[in-house]
Amino acid sequence: MKRTSNTPAKNKLQTTAERRFELELNNLDDIDKENKDTTNTSTSGVEGPEEYQFTWRAAIIGSFLGCFVAASNFYLGLKVGFTFGAGIFGAIFSFAIIKPLSDRIPLAWGGGYFGPKENVTAQTAATTSGGLFSGFISSIPALYKLGLMTTPREDIVALTLFTISAAYYGLFFAIPLRRHFVVKQDLTFPTPRAAATTIIALHDSKTGQEDGMKKAKWMAFWFCFTFIWGIISFFVPFFDTLHILYWIGYAASYGNLMGADATWGWHFKFDFPFFGAGLMTPGAVVIPFLVTTIIVYGIIGPCLVSSGYFVKAYGFVDQGDTTRSFFLWPGIAMLVLAAFAELFVRYDTLYRGIKGGVLEMIYVTKRAFNHIYCMVTGKHTSYSVRRPTTHKDESYGLQELVPAWWWMVGLTLSVIFTCAIMGVYFGMPVYQTIVSVILAFMMAFVGIQASGETDINPTGSVAKMSQLIFAGMPGPSLEQIQMNNLMAGNITASAAAQSVDMVGDLKTGQLVGASPRSQFITQLVASVVAVGIAVALFILFTDAYPCITALDVNMPCEFGLSGVWAWMSVTKLLTGGASLSTDCVIVTCVFAVIGITGPVLRHFFLPQKYHKYFPSLSVAGLAMVNSTPDVPVAMFTGWVFGKVWKRVKPELYYMYLYSAAGGMIAGQGVSAIIKAVFQLAKVEGNVIAVTCIEQLTENCP
């Protein structure tokens, strides 16, 4: 079916750009249809002499690019809990690196033809190596803040082994689900589809290759620019933060304006990753994020602190509520329950996901047991675990699919390994680990269905659901119950996130015509890199910034740790370790009702054409949890710039949007690693403090 545009009349250039974008998507639909009409072959709209789809050059370069994205997502995730995928970034940058080299270096050194299917290998490697970090920006720091583990360096074995288990059971579980969600249902998967569109366009013609190199140059420019800017900001704080309100208040002798900056954090920060995030994020997310922050930390908070109702702006004290400690709970209630409501109003998606996944697993299990029975009794069977399970709509030959025994053996070993790790290093009983793995599998069905239909992966929702179920699980002590609760949610979130990423990559491969077997091998290889980079980055950041895992909740911190606070607070609430004032309980209940009713009203009573204008209540809840106003300000700045760019230069906007945003996100994210190394090496920063509050070095960022 061809896509049609329902957008209102716009200027001629913008309309032309959008038609070009729609044409690319329509062409991709035609390619997808051709793939379905072809049996036992792997074809796409792009042909080329690709003797090998999996190559070490593609796997290594793709994994290397994924490490950049992992670093950026660590930075973004620790700041406010936002993360972004590596698919398009990996597709464009790997093309820009490998394509020129393929024609210039000998075959023995990694030269030779580089086509779209090998490009899928590089893109898959980037997604895999850059995606295994969700626990390290949420539940795992929460373990340390609750005093349930010692230090990341002392726990490196436990962290590494758990990360290995999380990497591989999600990966092996994704293979049988491909048959249902990618082949039978043929779900859209918007972001993987966009990655496929990009790859096909890069290799389709000489013009496509030239456009691809232009996009790569834009991405490289913004990567280098923001990387250098980030390094300079370590030494010159003017390049990090502008205390505009403070210095205006100082010049006018107006203390309230100075306090808005110095006490409440209303300053402007050159946070390019969030500029880039704002470019790609819709207004229904960005605007509620900023408006809620202004209302809570710009109006209500200062007024109630001045009146004496709140003890202070931020922090946690025994003398009474602070603005942060009070609004933390209403924010979490609205964040979690709005996410639950978003999931359940799409009950048809939820039902189809669970039903389809369960039926697929029952089908595969029955055939496997029937095969074993026939082998034992000497009867003939046409099914073999040495061959893949096929479907009438399958467009690949058996030699290009993943043999059933690969994922069956891998999944079995992964589950056994997970049970052993959880018991030995985290004290979780085997039966609780098995329950959490089963929940993880069921929630993976939901995550893949939701992501395939809406491009939204409800990882946070499904993790909180697992935590809710585990609230009633017994344990020898409160500490062990909290440990089990957090790790159960971590298992669920990791499996759902990994499975969604892997199945999404397989959808990209289907659209381009890449072999699922080659992609699976790539995912196996890149997962090794993912484990190493995830653990290494966590230890690096926690060594450089001890506040990430410190027991002292009032320690000043470079990061907002919104995700960490959400996980920790939900765990304390579910296990009886939280204490709330009466007023806080009342306000929390009110916002919980708002979080539930909002998605219901939008989904069932608001016409579809107005849905995009309905504010995201989950993000409004996140704004209450987030204690760094500079983040929504930076995202809003990026969003406004994107709107102006789209209006003035629509052709450039549609062509270079993701390139500019990806470069910004990756560049300053990588510079954050260098700055962390500077911190550990005791390199003196902030050498020029003239723009800092009171011109004192200790007041510099």
Side-chain angles (χ1 to χ4, degrees), residues 127-128 170-171 174 497-507 523 527:
T127 303
T128 304
L171 167 59
Q498 192 76 343
S499 295
V500 169
D501 285 346
M502 299 303 100
V503 174
D505 282 343
L506 293 170
K507 179 65 177 182
Q523 291 166 346
S527 291

Side-chain angles (χ1 to χ4, degrees), residues 67-84 133 136-137 226 230 233 240-241 269-275 537-538 541 545 548 558-562 630-631 634 664-676:
C67 292
F68 286 172
V69 176
S72 305
N73 279 327
F74 257 89
Y75 179 80
L76 292 168
L78 290 172
K79 277 274 188 177
V80 73
F82 286 170
T83 59
F84 293 89
F133 52 81
F136 291 104
I137 60 174
T226 56
S233 70
D240 185 276
T241 306
K269 199 173 184 69
F270 290 102
D271 231 335
F272 287 99
F274 290 102
F275 294 165
L537 285 174
F538 181 66
F541 275 98
Y545 307 101
I548 296 173
E558 171 78 8
F559 304 99
L561 304 178
S562 300
D630 55 84
V631 170
M664 289 182 188
I665 292 172
Q668 197 160 347
V670 174
S671 73
I673 296 179
I674 307 300
K675 292 163 74 173

Side-chain angles (χ1 to χ4, degrees), residues 44 288 317 348 373 385 561 597 700:
S44 74
V317 295
D348 51 344
Y373 172 77
V385 293
L561 304 178
T597 56
C700 293

Side-chain angles (χ1 to χ4, degrees), residues 136-197:
F136 291 104
I137 60 174
S138 54
S139 57
I140 292 177
L143 288 170
Y144 289 97
K145 283 195 167 293
L146 289 173
L148 304 177
M149 299 183 74
T150 52
T151 67
R153 283 194 175 274
E154 293 179 30
D155 298 324
I156 187 172
V157 174
L159 294 175
T160 302
L161 293 176
F162 173 76
T163 308
I164 292 173
S165 68
Y168 286 102
Y169 65 66
L171 167 59
F172 289 120
F173 192 60
I175 299 304
L177 297 185
R178 173 191 172 274
R179 180 177 179 270
H180 177 76
F181 293 104
V182 175
V183 179
K184 290 174 66 176
Q185 283 202 62
D186 191 27
L187 297 177
T188 303
F189 289 95
T191 297
R193 179 176 287 266
T197 307

Side-chain angles (χ1 to χ4, degrees), residues 62 65-66 69-70 73 84-92 122-123 125-131:
L65 294 173
V69 176
N73 279 327
F84 293 89
I88 296 178
F89 177 86
I92 294 176
Q123 176 264 333
T127 303
T128 304
S129 62

